[in-house]
Every structure is written in C-alpha cells, then in structure tokens.
Amino acid sequence: MDATRLNHLFNNLDGSPFFVGRAGEIEAIDESLIKTGIVEIVGLGGTGKTTLANAYTTMRRERYGDRIIRYQAYSGAGLSSYVYSLADSFRGLEGPLLCIVDSAEVLEPGDTIEAIRRLETGPWIVHFMILSRVRLGIGTTIPLDGLVYDSFQQLLRRAIGYDQFSDMDVTQLWKDTGGSPHLLKTLLSAWSLDRNRPIGTLGQLLEPLNVPGILGPDGRPVRRGSDREQAVIERVQLVTGEMLHRIAMRPDLVFELDSRQFEELAAELFSREGFEVTLTPRTRDGGKDLYLAQRRGFATFQYAVECKRYHPNRPVAVDVVRKLAGVVNGERLNAGIVLTTSRFTKDAYNVAAQYRYQMSLSDFTTLKTMLEPYGSAYR
C-alpha cells in the first residue's frame, strides 16, 4: 500500500470510527423501543455507545426521518429544561421522534425521568435512547461490551485498509484492548508513528496509571489489587509514552478524551512533574478530582485539583472555583488548581484573585505548556 493511501487512512482515524457488528444490539433496540419506548445502552467508555446510536439512526432513517433530537449531557445541566424549550415545536409533527441522550450518567435521574414523562404526555410519539456508563433504571437495559473477535477483526481491516496480519497478532490486540473500538483507534493512531511495529505488540503501549493511591467513595484509601479498587478504576487506561507524545504534538486530541480520561491524563502529567497523585472516585468526588502531594525538605505540600474537560466555547464558571476554594479551606490544603481544556469567565478570575497564593486557574494554554516537553521525544 502506498504512503498516500496510508496517510489518508490514518487521518480518518481522528473522525468517526467505522461501524461493524452489533446486529444483536440493533435487534434488541428495535424490540425495546417498540415495546416500551425507552432503551438504555450501558457500557464503559470506548465501547461504542455513541457510534451505535449514530448507526441506528442511519439504519432507521425511514422510521424517524429528521425527527431526531440529540442531547449531549454535561454535569450541572438538566434535561427537563432542554425538553421544555423544544416541546412546542413538536406539535403537528407526523411520525415518531427519537430522543438520544448521551453521557446520561452525569444527569440527575429524577430530572431525566421528569423530562421523559413531559414528552410522553404530549400529542406525539417519542422514543428515548439513553446512553450511559451506568444503569439508570429508566428503560430496558442493553449492555454494551467490547466487540466480539470477528467484528473486531473486521473493524481493524476496515480501519487500515488491508488485512495482512497474522491471526496471533490480531488475537493479542483483541485481548489487550478488550475489544474496545475506541482503544483500538487510539492504538492505531500510535501505530501510525511507527508502522514497522507488529500490531500484536501495540498492547505494550498500555501502561497502568502511575499514581500511588485511590480513594473510595467513603474518602478512605482503597487497598491496591482489591476488588474494590477494580470497581473504582475502569479498564480503559491512559496510553502514555508514544501517545503522550502524540497528544503533545496535537493538543486538540484532548477533546476526544472523556472526562475521566482527561483526569487520568492530568494525573500522569502531574506525576511526571514529581507529585504524588491520588485519583478520587468517578462520582461524589466532593469538588476535586485529584490530590497532589509534594515533599520539600521536612514539609509536605498538599493540593486539590479539579479537572474540567470542556469544549473551547464553554468557559469554566465561577461556581467551580468557589467549590474548590471551599475544599481547600475545609480540608486545610495548601492550594487548589483548576485545570481545563477551555478558558475561565471573568468572574472566575475575580474570585480566584481573592484567594491569593491558594488558587491557580490553568486554561488550555497552560495545558499545552504542560504537554510541550513530551512533544520532542518519547518519555
């Protein structure tokens, strides 16, 4: 295969991944929506929930037409207020509507149920597809795991454009990724930097998270290697080394990470700066995502970090800074850091200024500076 063709294929890896398999899931979605009108697609990050939803809308275009609502949930927002603003525009529409709610795990279940009930009482037919990392108990649940081997092999073949790989290499890559489409895409992106590497060794790029400890929901340290630790840390791991180099070369790739993956990236960066890093639980983190500790002489300095993986057009508001300041004061820490892929509002800067030497606001420019040392060589 010529270099031009390869470059084109690898460039496409940054777009939507190819859709393969999932015939059983498609059938289950059809059955659930027809019977109950609500279906929950539940799976860990990178298993392809959003890709499945997109493929389903394409396959069922004759049923829903343009009557498809997509809502990307984020912490602090409510689905009901969004639904209220749209409800009147649904009047007079013929045929069923499909409402897709992505990242629903960050929403309040009560508010989500209220929004669903609101739409169900209108003079229209509406179906709901809820995409979530955890089961919410709102509708029929369809668990989404990694791809089965045949589908994984098909995805690999489509992504690369040819299939001249040994069965042993493909099997090893499938085992290392757990069949995760997102993790496969990530590793193939790394492979584009060194195409001579056997694909069966790509799993070696997956390194365990380099942090000394994890806190459980009760705030107490979780014993390493325990079942409880595995429940806190999902299998999707931060790809360091070559992938850190790739993100440093293209910082915009941070927007492809989900919120937890961004926290893991931040943990890795601070760890490489010499801090001892503790990652807090995914939920009920109390306004901070990381604890940092640094020993200087006989003194130990402790910091709390709140990570916000926001899009560039969504600034971090003042309430985030105030909440972190409360954590710093309440737990008697030395300082707090807000690290974001976006920027901050003027009010956020004003409040931070009131906590001189105790509050640091780090925006996308600062993040790029933190990544810069890893762009010149693999670490």
Side-chain angles (χ1 to χ4, degrees), residues 257-272:
L257 305 177
D258 61 29
S259 296
R260 187 59 166 186
Q261 290 167 335
F262 178 56
E263 292 167 13
E264 292 174 348
L265 173 64
E268 184 67 26
L269 289 172
F270 282 118
S271 178
R272 288 171 178 250

Side-chain angles (χ1 to χ4, degrees), residues 104-263:
E105 70 275 1
V106 304
L107 299 174
E108 289 292 335
D111 180 82
T112 303
I113 293 174
E114 179 185 348
I116 291 173
R117 297 293 176 256
R118 162 72 173 174
L119 283 181
E120 285 181 334
T121 58
W124 45 68
I125 299 174
V126 59
H127 295 161
F128 293 90
M129 184 182 296
I130 311 296
L131 312 181
S132 176
R133 289 173 178 248
V134 297
R135 185 177 181 275
L136 303 178
I138 296 175
T140 304
T141 301
I142 298 178
L144 202 64
D145 297 316
L147 293 171
V148 297
Y149 177 79
D150 288 345
S151 296
F152 182 86
Q153 186 180 41
Q154 184 181 0
L155 177 61
L156 175 63
R157 183 167 59 248
R158 288 189 183 183
I160 300 303
Y162 60 94
D163 57 355
Q164 301 303 312
F165 303 116
S166 70
D167 289 340
M168 183 179 298
D169 276 345
V170 176
T171 299
Q172 187 61 51
L173 186 59
W174 175 63
K175 290 180 178 178
D176 289 340
T177 61
S180 166
H182 182 78
L183 201 51
L184 173 63
K185 172 185 170 182
T186 303
L187 291 178
L188 289 180
S189 296
W191 190 56
S192 69
L193 300 173
D194 180 10
R195 296 167 188 165
N196 294 320
R197 176 193 290 270
I199 67 165
T201 67
L202 288 178
Q204 296 172 8
L205 299 177
L206 297 175
E207 300 176 9
L209 190 64
N210 184 24
V211 296
I214 304 278
L215 297 184
D218 57 0
R220 296 177 178 274
V222 175
R223 182 171 56 84
R224 284 188 172 277
S226 66
D227 292 339
R228 193 179 180 198
E229 181 189 46
Q230 297 306 313
V232 173
I233 305 178
E234 293 183 355
R235 188 186 181 284
V236 177
Q237 297 169 306
L238 178 64
V239 180
T240 59
E242 292 181 60
M243 278 311 302
L244 190 57
H245 167 75
R246 183 173 176 82
I247 294 175
M249 295 296 290
R250 282 194 52 195
D252 59 293
L253 291 178
V254 297
F255 299 110
E256 293 189 7
L257 305 177
D258 61 29
S259 296
R260 187 59 166 186
Q261 290 167 335
F262 178 56
E263 292 167 13

Side-chain angles (χ1 to χ4, degrees), residues 255 308-316 340-344 362-365:
F255 299 110
K308 293 296 181 184
R309 205 282 290 160
Y310 285 175
H311 289 289
N313 60 351
R314 182 188 172 196
V316 177
T340 183
T341 55
S342 180
R343 51 193 172 85
F344 296 89
S362 301
D363 59 13
F364 187 50
T365 300

